[in-house]
Amino acid sequence: MANFNLRKAEPKDVPDILRLIKELAKYEEMEDQVVLTEKDLLEDGFGNQPFYHCVVADVPAEHQKVEGYSVIGFAMYYFTYDPWIGKLLYLEDFYVMKEYRGFGIGSEILKTLSDTAVKNRCSSMHFIVAESNKASIDFYKRRGASDLSLQEGWRLFRIDKENLLKMSAEE
Amino acid sequence: MDFTIRAATLEDCKDISRMILELAEYEKVSDQVKITQRDLEQDGFSKNPFFHGIIAEVPEHHKSREGHTKVGYSLYFYTYSSWKGRAVYMEDLYVMPEFRGKDMGKALMSKVSQLGLAAGCTQLNFTVLDWNKSSLDFYLKQGCWDVTSDLGYHCMHCEGDALEHLAQGDL
């Protein structure tokens, strides 16, 4: 199967994007964590000030292996900033449906994103991988990625809404 | 001690640049800072800023040994969680050593939390280096949790030559 098309996501892709987000979350055993809705995705990605950008991979009708789906992969990304080196591209989600792996679609998506990063004068592309996800870690390391948590001791910290509210109330 | 927390303006970039270098020195990596005051002005204060800043300022009679009244800052930007939606990322948080212990760090972080919540964010994320025990303790006390420790998420990146090769489709 050689035919696939990579393109910028459009509002009509939102239901497929959410479906693929949930599939990826399921693969990471975190499906119950997804609270995002189609409405959120539409407002946040296609309004005046998008919080994210998306590329999708679709296949023509004759190559559909799974009934009814032509959008079979996606990547969600946005631009961040490092005050030492400037603009970065942050890869939030990256997924190709199981039935469509092994055809170079993932590699092509990553190439497109890297090209986007370089064209936007980003010094680096950042992302998070679960340490248990050996397949993905190998995939990225083969492509020259390095593990900042292991090599430089980076730890991602988070405050969730409840504590965020408490913190914002402190004077 | 009296201090105010306010949004950063273009004129603050000189002091932000100074304090970025001070923070890099504190983290023992000041040779890695490539961004200049001019870059900050362009990247943070043009039509589509890549980051936002807030400043902690003291009155003239409390100025630092070297005569500075802008004595702390935070840089943040909006990101997106494919599970939860809008999020805010605190990239830098810094208070000059002679002004620590007066809750300015907490006040800066509180301001970022307020702004994030106002923008519809449900989480605040940031990175801490694993050797930075005093910062780790401070954040854990504020109700933050260590995503790298608890979920095994590693921060990875693809930069410089590796990014260029990826963009060209080399493997």
Side-chain angles (χ1 to χ4, degrees):
Chain A
M1 191 219 72
N3 271 8
F4 65 89
N5 178 42
L6 275 194
R7 57 175 176 78
K8 238 172 93 161
E10 295 162 43
K12 67 175 171 120
D13 294 316
V14 157
D16 283 298
I17 295 171
L18 187 58
R19 170 180 59 85
L20 294 172
I21 284 174
K22 287 182 174 169
E23 273 188 38
L24 174 53
K26 191 170 179 187
Y27 169 74
E28 292 174 344
E29 294 170 8
M30 293 284 194
E31 203 184 1
D32 57 324
Q33 296 288 319
V34 181
V35 299
L36 211 57
T37 63
E38 285 180 16
K39 180 169 177 286
D40 295 325
L41 279 171
L42 203 57
E43 201 181 305
D44 296 338
F46 299 93
N48 277 333
Q49 300 238 305
F51 278 78
Y52 71 87
H53 305 282
C54 230
V55 294
V56 295
D58 66 19
V59 293
E62 64 265 26
H63 288 301
Q64 280 174 26
K65 289 172 191 275
V66 183
E67 185 72 38
Y69 298 136
S70 64
V71 173
I72 52 82
F74 85 114
M76 176 187 272
Y77 68 95
Y78 39 84
F79 295 99
T80 62
Y81 198 79
D82 180 320
W84 298 355
I85 53 175
K87 287 189 277 186
L88 308 175
L89 186 145
Y90 188 87
L91 179 54
E92 170 66 23
D93 266 12
F94 171 33
Y95 178 77
V96 174
M97 286 171 71
K98 195 150 139 262
E99 297 83 356
Y100 294 88
R101 289 182 208 155
F103 296 110
I105 299 176
S107 295
E108 195 60 32
I109 292 177
L110 214 53
K111 174 173 181 281
T112 301
L113 292 176
S114 309
D115 193 52
T116 301
V118 168
K119 287 208 168 81
N120 280 275
R121 280 177 284 119
C122 298
S123 323
S124 185
M125 185 163 66
H126 280 230
F127 47 96
I128 303 254
V129 194
E131 67 194 3
S132 55
N133 191 346
K134 301 272 180 265
S136 293
I137 295 184
D138 287 342
F139 174 88
Y140 292 123
K141 281 197 164 157
R142 269 204 305 276
R143 286 155 177 81
S146 47
D147 187 329
L148 289 165
S149 290
L150 276 183
Q151 286 176 9
E152 294 183 22
W154 286 35
R155 294 224 216 137
L156 176 65
F157 268 58
R158 177 167 298 161
I159 314 184
D160 296 311
K161 188 151 186 196
E162 192 194 319
N163 286 307
L164 207 57
L165 281 160
K166 283 190 201 151
M167 169 152 305
S168 72
E170 286 186 21
E171 286 302 320
Chain B
M1 181 188 283
D2 240 349
F3 61 88
T4 49
I5 303 289
R6 59 166 180 79
T9 63
L10 191 73
E11 291 67 42
D12 293 318
C13 287
K14 181 162 181 229
D15 284 274
I16 296 174
S17 186
R18 168 184 58 83
M19 287 189 278
I20 284 170
L21 270 163
E22 286 177 21
L23 176 53
E25 269 151 27
Y26 170 69
E27 291 181 356
K28 307 169 192 182
V29 279
S30 54
D31 56 318
Q32 287 181 28
V33 180
K34 311 283 178 237
I35 289 291
T36 63
Q37 177 185 330
R38 181 113 181 79
D39 294 322
L40 289 175
E41 288 166 1
Q42 271 175 352
D43 296 338
F45 297 91
S46 57
K47 185 163 166 269
N48 293 311
F50 285 86
F51 67 86
H52 307 283
I54 50 174
I55 301 280
E57 196 163 23
V58 295
E60 190 64 32
H61 58 272
H62 281 306
K63 63 180 189 256
S64 75
R65 278 191 292 269
E66 283 155 12
H68 301 298
T69 54
K70 296 167 202 181
V71 301
Y73 78 99
S74 180
L75 290 191
Y76 67 95
F77 42 79
Y78 296 103
T79 61
Y80 206 69
S81 157
S82 57
W83 298 351
K84 315 269 189 222
R86 297 181 191 187
V88 59
Y89 190 90
M90 186 172 68
E91 173 63 34
D92 271 6
L93 175 66
Y94 176 76
V95 175
M96 289 169 69
E98 67 188 274
F99 292 90
R100 289 186 198 153
K102 302 177 199 320
D103 284 345
M104 280 194 212
K106 251 168 108 174
L108 283 163
M109 201 165 173
S110 175
K111 191 68 183 175
V112 175
S113 306
Q114 283 169 32
L115 292 165
L117 284 163
C121 301
T122 55
Q123 60 183 226
L124 166 67
N125 295 302
F126 52 98
T127 306
V128 192
L129 294 175
D130 62 5
W131 57 259
N132 194 343
K133 186 102 187 22
S134 58
S135 293
L136 289 168
D137 289 343
F138 169 78
Y139 292 125
L140 289 168
K141 259 214 318 266
Q142 309 306 315
C144 309
W145 56 284
D146 186 336
V147 178
T148 298
S149 236
D150 294 358
L151 294 181
Y153 283 179
H154 286 219
C155 305
M156 293 188 74
H157 77 157
C158 206
E159 58 160 4
D161 286 344
L163 188 63
E164 299 272 349
H165 287 146
L166 211 49
Q168 279 153 39
D170 305 343
L171 210 77

